[in-house]
Amino acid sequence: MGSSPQPRPAAPIWRSLLILAVTCLLSSASVSSADVDYSVQEHSPPGSLIGNIATSIDLANLVSPENLPQMKYSFLNTESSLRNLFVLDDKTGDLRLSRRTTLDRELVCPFSADCVLELQVAIQSTISQFFRKVFVNVDVIDINDHAPTFRENVTKITISESVQIPTSFPLPSAVDEDRGSNNSLQGYEILPADGPFRLSYSKSNSNLMLEVVSELDHEKRDSYRLKIIARDGGEPVKEGVLTVEIDVEDVNDNKPVFTETNYARTVDETVSQGSLLLTLTATDEDSGDNGKVRYHLPEQLAHVMSMFSLNATSGELRLVGDFQTADTEVYVIRVEASDQAYTTTTTVTIRVEDTINSEPKLLVSYLSPDNFSSITEYANLGVAVAHILIKDTDRGPNGIVTCRMATPQYFELQGYDVKEYKVIVAHKLDRETISVHNVTVECEDAGQPSLTASKTFQVKVTDENDNPPAFKERLIHARIEENNELGAELTTVSASDPDDPALGNGRITYSLEDVSEGEFLIDPVSGTIKVMKSLDYEHRRQVNFTVIASDNGTPRRSARVALGVSVLDLNDMTPHFAQSSFSIRVSERTLHGELIGELSASDYEQGKNGQFDISVVPGSYRVTETRRDPGSEFAFVGGGSNSHSNNNNINN
Ligand SMILES: *[C@@H]1O[C@H](CO)[C@@H](O)[C@H](O)[C@H]1NC(C)=O
Ligand SMILES: *[C@@H]1O[C@H](CO)[C@@H](O)[C@H](O)[C@H]1NC(C)=O
Ligand SMILES: *[C@@H]1O[C@H](CO)[C@@H](O)[C@H](O)[C@H]1NC(C)=O
Ligand SMILES: *[C@@H]1O[C@H](CO)[C@@H](O)[C@H](O)[C@H]1NC(C)=O
Ligand SMILES: *[C@@H]1O[C@H](CO)[C@@H](O)[C@H](O)[C@H]1NC(C)=O
Ligand SMILES: *[C@@H]1O[C@H](CO)[C@@H](O)[C@H](O)[C@H]1NC(C)=O
């Protein structure tokens, strides 16, 4: 307990390995050399703001204003038992109490007057190479949340009336879990104060004694009922009450006493589950039931409770967890021994020794609240995506560890501190090429033979809107027959965008330009274009407009394509004669087969639809004799036909 931690830069490993309880025990000896000192009252409401890291280290003066909003905050080299107590906002740097647990000073720092929790926080830019490790000390301020309490409400003492004056009898003392000058136990009061009893106690040792200061006379009074009130000095004062019932005979009672004041053991990390670590023994000088001692582990930190078990009758402390998979090197365990009346508390310190040349351990901090690392695809070279702490407690060459990047294509290792590395971006990233990188770091110690360890983790590349949508075609042709129904489907266009659709960067919305909604409509999601007006070939043979595909990223990117719609002709027009009637004069001397005149007709349609025949319908003409003279002529008079059947052959 008296040893002080080594100075910070020389021993980052050691620092990071300190378990919570040890941190508390040691912190009173160490002068704060943290970058940031905070204090927070225990039992503050869950989620309470403790401080803002950025403000506290005056980050605005360290980085450029455009860099400031790009900062990311994460815990570094911080054990989960400690990490669970706090929440660090990765975007703002706000350090808060966790909403899931309450900060109880007596639980995180048992038996210690001061409670300073040491955290490390990484501040890094997501776009530039800025990376800084910040030491944060959180001083947990005691509040008067515990009253002095006696283990029992009532205790019985039998005293002979012939007792010598003065004689002292031990009483169970009260325990106040609060520490500090005012919240801890301050003293006792006895009621009534004017009887033959006094209390004696000293603050330095917790023994409370009841002194008989004047003769007891059984004839006058055969029993006493006293109240002992224990008080702390909090605001308001809290108290605990013990009723003492006093009767005849002299029976002494003793507290259980542990054979060692504080137990400390160093055990091999390879100790198997279920192994006996040590046997606690507390002796009690009383005979019979009063002398029976039972052992137990009072409520304490979860990582202690899950690692050890204590046999209530034999005092055997056994390992139930596995030292090699736990990341704790020193455990401080509270143990209690009780007889019928009294409880004695002590601590067992178990230091787990690294005995074999164990392979180096790699602790990866992902610099994010997730259990993987993530980085924007816009990240510049040199930006850190993870931090690696090498744990190798072996001495000599066994403890000299070198690491290398086994997957050096996109990421590299950069030494940061003693046995610490940053994993930095070494090659431009592109999410559309590789969205998740498997990064493997390999480390090797200098032992004979050397032992290696490797760690693989994922770096997810987060999407940026770096790709615009694109159409395959440079020009799209579509056709539709005229006289279409309203809402007829024309065609479906499709653009692609390799960016992430989930973020909107790759989600495309279609729209039309240079055309009215009354004529053409596009479904913004499917890209299906509908014709909302009946088209007329004779009026318009081609409609040109533009289709736009935009993504939903910031900033938005878009692509355009020209769409030409050909309106197809239908045979909706009839041929018609140039005149409603023709008259042709024919001389009677006209020879067979001689041309007597021309009829003309036309059709608005194009191509086949525009072809027609003319035939003479029998009986549809008259012959008018206009002159009987030689050279007289006949006239045929015919009417224009409206027949659609223009494929009839002319019958000569
Ligand atoms: C002691 O008294 C308190 C309050 O009067 C009560 O809640 C508690 O159960 C008692 N304890 C025992 C062991 O009798
Ligand atoms: C403790 O109590 C005394 C007397 O009430 C007061 O003067 C002092 O400021 C208190 N100390 C603390 C740390 O609260
Ligand atoms: C505790 O120890 C006693 C004596 O060695 C033994 O009989 C008992 O089974 C043990 N209890 C447990 C729960 O292991
Ligand atoms: C990461 O966390 C998720 C959910 O929180 C969990 O499903 C997953 O198994 C974890 N992965 C690793 C490697 O721990
Ligand atoms: C990363 O590893 C996983 C399996 O762990 C594998 O499915 C995936 O293809 C790997 N990714 C790359 C880019 O190699
Ligand atoms: C439509 O575009 C085509 C070629 O892109 C052009 O030849 C035609 O004249 C255009 N038609 C109209 C009505 O703009």
Side-chain angles (χ1 to χ4, degrees), residues 212-505:
V212 186
V213 293
S214 57
E215 299 286 340
L216 303 178
D217 186 346
H218 181 76
E219 317 298 32
K220 280 188 185 160
R221 186 158 179 189
D222 62 357
S223 72
Y224 291 85
R225 198 179 163 84
L226 308 176
K227 284 204 182 305
I228 312 290
I229 300 167
R231 290 197 177 87
D232 64 23
E235 180 64 50
V237 172
K238 294 195 169 178
E239 54 185 40
V241 178
L242 171 72
T243 301
V244 184
E245 291 171 357
I246 297 172
D247 249 330
V248 228
E249 268 175 38
D250 180 359
V251 174
N252 202 350
D253 198 12
N254 293 286
K255 295 173 105 171
V257 178
F258 280 104
T259 51
E260 297 176 36
T261 42
N262 288 106
Y263 294 83
R265 294 287 185 278
T266 298
V267 300
D268 197 303
E269 62 177 338
T270 57
V271 161
S272 58
Q273 292 186 19
S275 294
L276 178 65
L277 298 176
L278 83 148
T279 303
L280 297 163
T281 310
T283 55
D284 191 315
E285 290 179 2
D286 299 325
S287 56
D289 281 350
N290 285 344
K292 273 195 184 147
V293 177
R294 295 184 69 76
Y295 305 89
H296 84 287
L297 299 174
E299 185 195 353
Q300 52 198 300
L301 290 177
H303 79 284
V304 172
M305 295 302 267
S306 62
M307 194 58 91
F308 304 99
S309 73
L310 182 61
N311 184 309
T313 53
S314 67
E316 290 169 342
L317 183 71
R318 289 182 185 275
L319 179 68
V320 295
D322 178 5
F323 286 141
Q324 278 171 300
T325 59
D327 62 354
T328 305
E329 197 176 281
V330 179
Y331 296 88
V332 179
I333 313 160
R334 286 173 82 178
V335 292
E336 289 182 355
S338 319
D339 64 14
Q340 301 272 332
Y342 306 120
T343 294
T344 307
T345 305
T346 189
T347 61
V348 178
T349 304
I350 301 283
R351 186 174 294 274
V352 183
E353 199 174 45
D354 177 51
T355 46
I356 46 179
N357 177 17
S358 49
E359 58 208 29
K361 280 187 186 135
L362 280 71
L363 282 183
V364 181
S365 294
Y366 298 114
L367 307 177
S368 82
D370 308 307
N371 56 8
F372 54 85
S373 175
S374 59
I375 183 86
T376 157
E377 57 181 327
Y378 280 170
N380 288 323
L381 303 190
V383 171
V385 298
H387 175 278
I388 293 179
L389 173 69
I390 313 302
K391 253 172 101 171
D392 192 329
T393 44
D394 295 329
R395 300 212 171 86
N398 289 351
I400 298 172
V401 180
T402 47
C403 298
R404 64 182 199 93
M405 176 62 68
T407 48
Q409 208 181 349
Y410 286 91
F411 301 97
E412 265 309 334
L413 280 187
Q414 190 179 62
Y416 180 63
D417 206 334
V418 181
K419 291 191 175 179
E420 291 184 42
Y421 290 94
K422 284 193 296 178
V423 178
I424 58 168
V425 177
H427 186 278
K428 217 61 190 124
L429 301 171
D430 181 23
R431 190 202 70 92
E432 288 70 43
T433 316
I434 303 177
S435 61
V436 180
H437 292 268
N438 296 333
V439 177
T440 301
V441 176
E442 283 176 354
C443 298
E444 180 173 34
D445 67 22
Q448 284 293 344
S450 70
L451 293 177
T452 59
S454 74
K455 186 101 180 183
T456 298
F457 60 95
Q458 293 193 326
V459 178
K460 294 194 179 168
V461 181
T462 54
D463 191 38
E464 299 290 350
N465 197 16
D466 55 340
N467 291 287
F471 287 102
K472 269 206 206 75
E473 311 87 343
R474 289 192 47 239
L475 195 64
I476 300 176
H477 290 289
R479 309 156 176 275
I480 186 154
E481 288 187 342
E482 63 173 335
N483 300 336
N484 57 283
E485 285 183 7
L486 301 191
E489 264 187 31
L490 176 65
T491 186
T492 298
V493 296
S494 169
S496 58
D497 189 324
D499 289 326
D500 189 357
L503 292 179
N505 293 340

Side-chain angles (χ1 to χ4, degrees), residues 26-101:
L26 294 175
S27 58
S28 55
S30 65
V31 177
S32 170
S33 54
D35 300 312
V36 179
D37 288 294
Y38 292 129
S39 61
V40 61
Q41 264 193 3
E42 62 166 331
H43 292 289
S44 291
S48 295
L49 179 67
I50 298 169
N52 180 275
I53 310 275
T55 315
S56 301
I57 68 157
D58 205 6
L59 189 61
N61 270 336
L62 300 176
V63 301
S64 60
E66 8 10 304
N67 219 337
L68 204 53
Q70 308 297 338
M71 289 294 161
K72 194 165 89 169
Y73 305 81
S74 55
F75 283 123
L76 201 61
N77 305 344
T78 305
E79 287 188 23
S80 54
S81 54
L82 192 45
R83 204 183 274 222
N84 287 344
L85 300 173
F86 301 101
V87 173
L88 179 63
D89 188 308
D90 62 332
K91 298 202 175 56
T92 64
D94 280 347
L95 181 67
R96 295 178 180 278
L97 287 182
S98 163
R99 293 190 185 279
R100 284 173 293 150
T101 57

Side-chain angles (χ1 to χ4, degrees), residues 475 540 542-544 564:
L475 195 64
R540 202 159 45 151
Q542 170 101 21
V543 190
N544 293 342

